[in-house]
Amino acid sequence: MTISKNKCSRYICDCVNDLPPSGIRKFFDLVSHMEGAISLGVGEPDYVTPWHIREAAIYSMEKGYTMYTSNSGTPELREELARYLTAHCHVDYDPGTEFLITTGVSEALDLVMRAILNPGDEVIMADPSYVSYPSCVCLAGGKAVKVPTRVEDNFELRAEDIVPYISNKTKAILLGYPANPTGAMMNREGLSRIADLALRHNLLVISDEIYARLVYGVEEVCFAALPGMRDTTVLLGGFSKAYAMTGWRLGYAAGNQEIISAMTKIHQYTMLCAPIMAQKAGIEALKFGEPDIQEMVSDYNRRRLMMVKGFNNIGLSCFDPKGAFYAFPSIKSTGMTSDDFSETLLREEKVVVVPGTAFGPSGEGYVRCCYATAMSEIEEALSRIKRFLDKRR
Ligand SMILES: Cc1ncc(COP(=O)(O)O)c(C=O)c1O
């Protein structure tokens, strides 16, 4: 016997009831049965994981690696990560005590919020930003405080703009650069100003650097490597984007031993460990995946240039994104809201874009378009969007 939906809704807790559904999911649902649709909506590489990385996982299963690992992750993966972060990010962590291997950055975000927040504690973040940020804070009993960012400032989170939002409840600043949805980067100077501010106010910084390897011609600065920031920064990183490993569910947190061990406490009761075959694959990726990253990045760069130029050519002014794989064109000239634009475009031209407002109110007037899509699809999507705009001019 099935129990009707409204009979069970009373069992759902207020916090979850009050969470808005993801504005991205809504578009996936709309498009799932639409033939001939082109999706610029999904924030996922269109590559499959490089073969040698898949092979490492297959080989590990053949050898019988099918069990739990240590809660923190295998020592080999942590050691490899420590070497990788020293080489690429110029920051040193102790593989024994300063890493936690997680099921993606998603889990790491959830754990860090639950490890640090008391009810009502506040976390400052940029608006617009990744859809999970405010939800993770809210589910941990905290309050997300969103600081508007603007195209005029290249969508950077400026230290001076954060100041008025700091209260006696502020616990942390959550940074996500290269940024989803804008593709924005922060330079060393801007990040250093945030570091000074965080030190002055005793705030923890959580730096989600999942897109750190996907940057185009600019310096990628690891926040934890800034002077004095190693111990009060929790660095979150992952394999999903750089190595096209979204389905493997592998990520990590690195930071001060006390915070990592608090996160590990929650992880050991709720997740136990990340899948061993994914961890084996992660070691292979870190050791031998550099050429794959280089190849994907130069390919994404070609698509990035094509998409940004394409939007500007058809009259949608597009911010020049220097990281991740998203373009964030302005649709203000159409007079439509982001939601209207996205829904009507999908209905009339079968092109999926995500309304900027899915990422926060400052996303109004923009749409997010992922360029980790074949060039031919990007070309076709742009010509459909042009037709859509021409009909309204
Ligand atoms: C900014 C950002 N952080 C974290 C994640 C989650 O990554 P993972 O696949 O490692 O859970 C995403 C996924 O799109 C993201 O865009």
Side-chain angles (χ1 to χ4, degrees):
M1 191 183 76
T2 51
I3 299 173
S4 85
K5 201 175 160 202
N6 359 355
K7 270 205 183 135
C8 286
S9 60
R10 68 196 164 100
Y11 298 120
I12 313 290
C13 68
D14 295 344
C15 176
V16 173
N17 255 333
D18 294 346
L19 269 188
S22 158
I24 300 184
R25 277 287 139 205
K26 180 173 133 191
F27 280 82
F28 290 162
D29 296 343
L30 280 172
V31 81
S32 57
H33 301 295
M34 195 181 272
E35 231 174 85
I38 297 180
S39 179
L40 306 178
V42 194
E44 173 159 75
D46 65 335
Y47 287 95
V48 291
T49 308
W51 170 244
H52 65 104
I53 299 176
R54 285 183 275 156
E55 201 174 32
I58 295 167
Y59 190 49
S60 79
M61 282 187 271
E62 277 178 359
K63 290 212 296 195
Y65 287 105
T66 56
M67 60 289 283
Y68 294 132
T69 71
S70 140
N71 296 136
S72 307
T74 65
E76 296 81 1
L77 178 54
R78 285 181 275 135
E79 276 155 26
E80 208 51 60
L81 265 176
R83 270 193 286 277
Y84 173 90
L85 290 177
T86 301
H88 287 278
C89 303
H90 316 295
V91 59
D92 299 320
Y93 290 104
D94 174 358
T97 56
E98 294 183 319
F99 281 105
L100 172 61
I101 307 299
T102 57
T103 51
V105 171
S106 303
E107 192 211 355
L109 271 168
D110 178 45
L111 292 178
V112 70
M113 295 309 168
R114 286 201 275 160
I116 65 165
L117 297 179
N118 286 313
D121 281 351
E122 296 176 357
V123 178
I124 288 176
M125 62 188 72
D127 183 72
S129 62
Y130 178 48
V131 288
S132 295
Y133 292 168
S135 307
C136 283
V137 172
C138 170
L139 287 167
K143 186 175 162 212
V145 175
K146 300 196 103 192
V147 178
T149 59
R150 292 165 291 266
V151 71
E152 299 79 39
D153 304 320
N154 298 319
F155 291 110
E156 289 181 25
L157 182 61
R158 302 187 318 164
E160 57 269 42
D161 293 337
I162 295 176
V163 174
Y165 291 88
I166 296 177
S167 77
N168 58 5
K169 286 284 198 182
T170 310
K171 195 74 166 273
I173 300 173
L174 170 55
L175 293 176
Y177 288 91
N180 177 4
T182 57
M185 290 285 293
M186 293 263 312
N187 62 25
R188 185 175 289 277
E189 200 190 325
L191 290 173
S192 299
R193 279 204 293 267
I194 294 181
D196 289 344
L197 186 71
L199 287 173
R200 244 183 297 132
H201 291 269
N202 289 320
L203 302 177
L204 184 72
V205 174
I206 300 151
S207 188
D208 174 0
E209 298 183 16
I210 190 165
Y211 293 104
R213 302 305 309 280
L214 309 186
V215 295
Y216 312 100
V218 290
E219 183 196 21
E220 159 60 18
V221 179
C222 173
F223 196 85
L226 293 174
M229 291 317 294
R230 202 198 84 109
D231 272 345
T232 51
T233 299
V234 181
L235 167 62
L236 308 184
F239 294 76
S240 290
K241 315 289 175 169
Y243 300 102
M245 291 177 70
T246 48
W248 297 77
R249 312 312 304 128
L250 191 65
Y252 60 89
N256 172 278
Q257 180 180 350
E258 287 167 81
I259 294 177
I260 293 298
S261 96
M263 292 169 69
T264 307
K265 251 197 228 173
I266 309 170
H267 173 80
Q268 76 188 354
Y269 291 125
T270 56
M271 190 62 66
L272 240 162
C273 65
I276 188 168
M277 22 324 236
Q279 294 193 48
K280 293 284 182 189
I283 296 168
E284 169 73 20
L286 292 170
K287 274 186 167 162
F288 303 110
E290 217 36 47
D292 305 304
I293 296 184
Q294 301 307 333
E295 194 187 316
M296 288 188 264
V297 167
S298 63
D299 204 16
Y300 291 146
N301 194 30
R302 277 192 291 278
R303 305 177 197 189
R304 176 183 79 96
L305 294 169
M306 179 186 182
M307 186 179 268
V308 171
K309 189 168 164 208
F311 276 125
N312 284 317
N313 283 347
I314 62 174
L316 296 183
S317 127
C318 189
F319 163 73
D320 189 18
K322 299 289 193 196
F325 38 47
Y326 306 107
F328 204 56
S330 166
I331 50 103
K332 290 177 186 169
S333 59
T334 65
M336 301 171 89
T337 65
S338 302
D339 239 33
D340 273 355
F341 181 94
S342 309
E343 281 192 45
T344 322
L345 178 67
L346 178 59
R347 238 190 356 261
E348 291 185 15
E349 296 291 349
K350 298 186 178 177
V351 176
V352 185
V353 298
V354 182
T357 42
F359 307 92
S362 307
E364 185 55 277
Y366 298 89
V367 292
R368 189 194 77 174
C369 302
C370 177
Y371 53 79
T373 307
M375 293 278 235
S376 55
E377 297 265 291
I378 296 175
E379 219 165 347
E380 173 61 20
L382 285 166
S383 89
R384 292 188 195 184
I385 297 172
K386 179 177 184 306
R387 191 164 61 204
F388 178 79
L389 296 172
D390 286 346
K391 271 196 259 171
R392 287 163 171 80
R393 279 181 179 137

